[in-house]
Amino acid sequence: MNLQNIPAIYPEGAPAQQQAAVMAQTAPAQQIAGMAQAGAAAQAGMPVSHRPMRQAGRQLRSTTQLHAVVEACQTVRIACVDEEGPFIVPMSFGYDWADPEEIDADAPRLALWVHSAGVGRKVDAFNREPRVAIEMDVQDGLITGTYACAYSYAYRSIMGTGTIHRIQGIEAKRYGLTRIMQHLAPEASTDFTDQALARANIYCIDVDRFTGKQRA
């Protein structure tokens, strides 16, 4: 899936007329460029360099490996922060990829779609601080050993950071909710009424940095 096909993402509270005008005039590529710029701007002041993975031999780099983790995982854990401090929420999700030959961990190549109630602690946190961290993992079984501390567990995981955007506009919401359902229950109907979509609370996480890891 090319991220250029994702519908426009509007800032919360934008007038409906403004949303319609933007949707009519803005090219998809410009819309995705805006997502990337928002993530980059949010990172202003953060260190430019990133700590390399300590056990580099376990890093997942190929698109095939990274796709397999996301496809097999059913829950994304989102770390956010509010006035009470940091906390983590597990959520069902949908996703979109844009693939070069090799995923560059510093490029925004993954979008995650999530759905929630319109009120609550996580919604307040998303509105307060849109920078979030994400984690997804797949359990691959017990690794046995000859003594207790030699035991371990096989897994594949993705960890990253990004910016969460609240989706505005009926068609953008329809797209996001469809992506969630296609991952969660691909056999289920994705026929949503405009009334239901108007009430729906959909978010997209523009994951601007992530790494994959495997313990086999």
Side-chain angles (χ1 to χ4, degrees), residues 68-77 93 95 135-138 183:
V69 175
V70 176
E71 177 59 29
C73 183
Q74 295 299 311
T75 303
V76 59
R77 295 172 180 85
F93 69 95
Y95 64 90
E135 189 274 347
M136 293 179 279
D137 60 77
V138 180
H183 180 54

Side-chain angles (χ1 to χ4, degrees), residues 48-70:
V48 174
S49 61
H50 299 284
R51 180 183 298 185
M53 188 175 294
R54 182 176 63 86
Q55 294 178 312
R58 294 183 180 179
Q59 185 166 353
L60 300 179
R61 297 182 180 274
S62 77
T63 59
T64 300
Q65 292 173 315
L66 293 167
H67 282 210
V69 175
V70 176

Side-chain angles (χ1 to χ4, degrees), residues 47 99 102 105 113 143 190 211:
D99 288 336
E102 189 88 355
W113 302 88
I143 298 173
T190 54
T211 54

Side-chain angles (χ1 to χ4, degrees), residues 72-88:
C73 183
Q74 295 299 311
T75 303
V76 59
R77 295 172 180 85
I78 305 173
C80 45
V81 65
D82 64 8
E83 64 279 0
E84 298 181 37
F87 65 101
I88 297 173

Side-chain angles (χ1 to χ4, degrees), residues 143-215:
I143 298 173
T144 60
T146 56
Y147 57 97
C149 291
Y151 280 72
S152 186
Y153 209 87
Y155 66 89
R156 290 165 289 154
S157 68
I158 284 178
M159 297 178 65
T161 55
T163 304
I164 190 163
H165 308 265
R166 187 172 181 176
I167 304 303
Q168 305 291 336
I170 294 297
E171 292 310 311
K173 287 184 177 183
R174 189 188 312 277
Y175 180 88
L177 198 53
T178 297
R179 297 304 294 157
I180 294 170
M181 290 301 297
Q182 286 175 343
H183 180 54
L184 181 65
E187 72 287 349
S189 170
T190 54
D191 184 17
F192 312 108
T193 66
D194 288 355
Q195 292 81 1
L197 290 167
R199 297 189 300 269
N201 194 32
I202 310 295
Y203 290 90
C204 182
I205 304 173
D206 172 24
V207 183
D208 48 53
R209 174 175 165 75
F210 65 93
T211 54
K213 186 177 181 180
Q214 180 176 29
R215 172 72 167 97

